Structure formats: C-alpha cells, structure tokens
Amino acid sequence: MSKKQLRRTALVAVLLTAVTTATAQGAVSATAEASTARPSAAAPSAVSGIEDDVARSLAVSLADAGWRSQVRSAALASAQVDVQALAARAATPSGRALIPAVREADRRIAAAKGLAASTGSLLRVRLGDASMREDLTGEAVPLVAAAPADDAAETITAYDSQGRAHTLDARDVPQRPVYVVDIDVSKALAAGLGVLRAEFAKHGVATPRPQARQAAGGWWSTRVTSVELADDEEPWVKGDAEVYTLVTGFGLDGKVRVDTVDMPYLNSDGVVYYPNQILVNWSNYKYNLADAVMMEDDGDTNYQALAQALTTALLTITDQGAYIPLVNAVLSAIPTSWWTDDPDYVDSWYTLARSDSGRRNGAAGNGWMTVEPYFVEQF
C-alpha cells in the first residue's frame, strides 16, 4: 500500500473515531458543517500542470548541445537548480528563450499556492535519481519529467528533445537519465506558513499571549526529542516533502488557537530524527491539553485557501468550559479534493498534556514521537 493510500485509509479511521468520541456538541457540529462544504470530486493539480508545461519546454531546449552541457553541469553540481536563474545565465539562445515562459510559470505557481508574487522563483530542476549521475555524460540527451503530485502514481510522463512523450515506470528507476522539474518546497513552505500565520492573526486564531504570562520568568513547553514517520515506498521521481504541524487548542481568550510549527528536517520516512524542537508553548493556551495535526507539502498546497478553510471551521467552535479535541475539525475543514494531491495528511496526536513524557504514537499509526516537558527560562 502506498503512502497516499495508507494515509487516506488512516484518515477515515481517525475521523470516524473523532466523531464517535467527541464530547462537545460544538466540535461535532462544526465538523459536520465543514464536511458538507467540501467538494465531492478531486480537482486537477494546477501546479503539476504548470510543471509539466515547463518540463516539455525544457526537454525541447536540450536539443541545443551547448545549452544541454550547461544544464548538465548545473545538475551535477547541485541537488536542485533554480530554473529561472539557470535560463538567465544561459550562454545560448535556446536557454535564454525559456526565460519568459519560466517567469510566467513561477508567477502562476505562486498564485496557485496562494503566495505573493514577491515570493520569487520556485521552479527547480534536478536529476531524478543519484544512480543516473554516471549515465549523465556529455553525449546523453536526458528526458525531462514533472514531479507527480500523487504518491501512488504508477507511471509518469517524460519528454524528449523532440517534445515527444514517453511513459516511465514510477517505481523502477530508468536506465536513461531523467531531469525532474519540481518546486522548491522549502521556500514555498516558509512563505506558506507566513500566509497561515497572517490569516490566523487576522481572524484572532493566533493572538499574541498577554505580557503578564510572558513576564513570569519563562514558560513551559512540550519538546519533541525524537520522531519517526512510517517507511512507505514512494516513486523515484518524488523529491523530499516539507513537513509542518498545526498545534491547536483554546487560547487564553477562550477562542480556538492554531500555531504552525515547521519541521524541515523530516525529509525521509523510516528515519528517526532527534530535533529537540519545541512543539507546544503552553503559555499560549487556556487548558492543559492541545492537539497536533502533522501535514506535508509535496508541492500543490494553496496556503491561502487552507488558512481560510481552517479559520471558517474553527471560528464556529466556542469554549464550553472544558477542553474540546480539535483534530477532527481541522481535518474536516480541508477540501476533499486536496486529499488526492496535497497537502498530505501525515498523522495526528490528540490531547497532548504539559506533563506528557515519553513515546506518543500518532492516531493514524503513521508516526510516533517522544516528548518531554521543557521549561524555557527568560534571561
């Protein structure tokens, strides 16, 4: 079972459990309202379509031996190459001819992801697999493919220098070198989390904590000492995903609060990481409990739409004088179509307490983390 299928199955189980065990009417009604607003059909991936257009154009441009040599040198020297910058440095007309199309593609991708045009270039090109390096000789004319949005893809489309499409197996690395057009998900995620924070603050879902709480000599937190995600097979053509976590609970003002936590180190499944990263700042929360929903961005996340969907759902939930689990409300707020592409649901953790210490398994069974209470002292 692929990662996408595993998470989709796990999501159904988590949502069913959340609905049947919810103890507060407000949380259940908010989840139901959010669910009815979700589309029933999967929307095509706008970002993947743009990447595919650029992949074909880049493939055709590689008919120029001089430009092909320049791309080869860049791909061997770096794990990912800025396509717009590479075209701007082109020594031949074939490379420079890509500049207008690539600039327009970067602009369209930023818009599709709900990011400002000032985000800059996002398109990157990389060698599909490290094993291809020895075959990337000066005589080789690589194929060019766009990174697939779907982790469960069985085939991918790559283009040759004549613009002809070739179908490649997504699981078996081809003998011929392949360039992959993708986006810089690290850059996109940093900009996207800024969009989320701004939107949450705008709607009062992430208000600053009062100065009185900050001046108590420090604050208690929950720190992640180790974390691992399940090891599931992915296509060779996929690059690293960028993982982030939405921490939810009730703020000191009694409103639902969401804090975003970037986890840029979580690049590979099946690897144990030891980040010693602060996950929850308890001075932000009214109750001694919070939830965490871990997500990953493989490329297609529209952060503006995600922020609006979350705030619309969460603002309907009111403080009932007791802690209400919010994981189900967060998951139900995300449109159905997004589960076929991005953002991917990774796992969720219910009722994290300030005193928690030791291993906590995710509700979806796709990951675990060990946590500990940690007091952050002021200077």
Side-chain angles (χ1 to χ4, degrees), residues 206-283:
T207 54
R209 60 188 185 277
Q211 288 295 325
R213 288 291 289 268
Q214 298 184 57
W219 42 274
W220 279 100
S221 71
T222 289
R223 183 167 69 170
V224 178
T225 56
S226 61
V227 58
E228 180 186 13
L229 303 182
D231 188 7
D232 296 295
E233 183 180 9
E234 282 193 303
W236 57 266
V237 72
K238 293 286 286 185
D240 289 339
E242 290 294 315
V243 175
Y244 60 100
T245 297
L246 303 175
V247 178
T248 64
F250 285 89
L252 301 177
D253 57 1
K255 296 180 181 178
V256 170
R257 178 185 180 92
V258 184
D259 288 302
T260 59
V261 180
D262 188 6
M263 295 179 157
Y265 50 87
L266 274 173
N267 290 327
S268 301
D269 293 342
V271 177
V272 179
Y273 295 90
Y274 302 91
N276 288 323
Q277 181 184 27
I278 291 175
L279 181 67
V280 186
N281 178 348
W282 291 106
S283 69

Side-chain angles (χ1 to χ4, degrees), residues 100-165:
V102 173
R103 284 178 177 168
E104 175 62 15
D106 274 324
R107 185 197 64 77
R108 291 172 58 203
I109 287 174
K113 292 181 68 61
L115 305 176
S118 59
T119 302
S121 63
L122 289 169
L123 281 167
R124 301 291 184 265
V125 63
R126 55 181 168 81
L127 198 56
D129 190 80
S131 64
M132 298 175 180
R133 293 178 67 88
E134 62 183 55
D135 294 319
L136 190 60
T137 63
E139 294 74 31
V141 183
L143 299 174
V144 185
D150 188 358
D151 291 351
E154 296 182 356
T155 62
I156 61 169
T157 300
Y159 300 96
D160 62 24
S161 59
Q162 302 300 313
R164 296 171 299 202

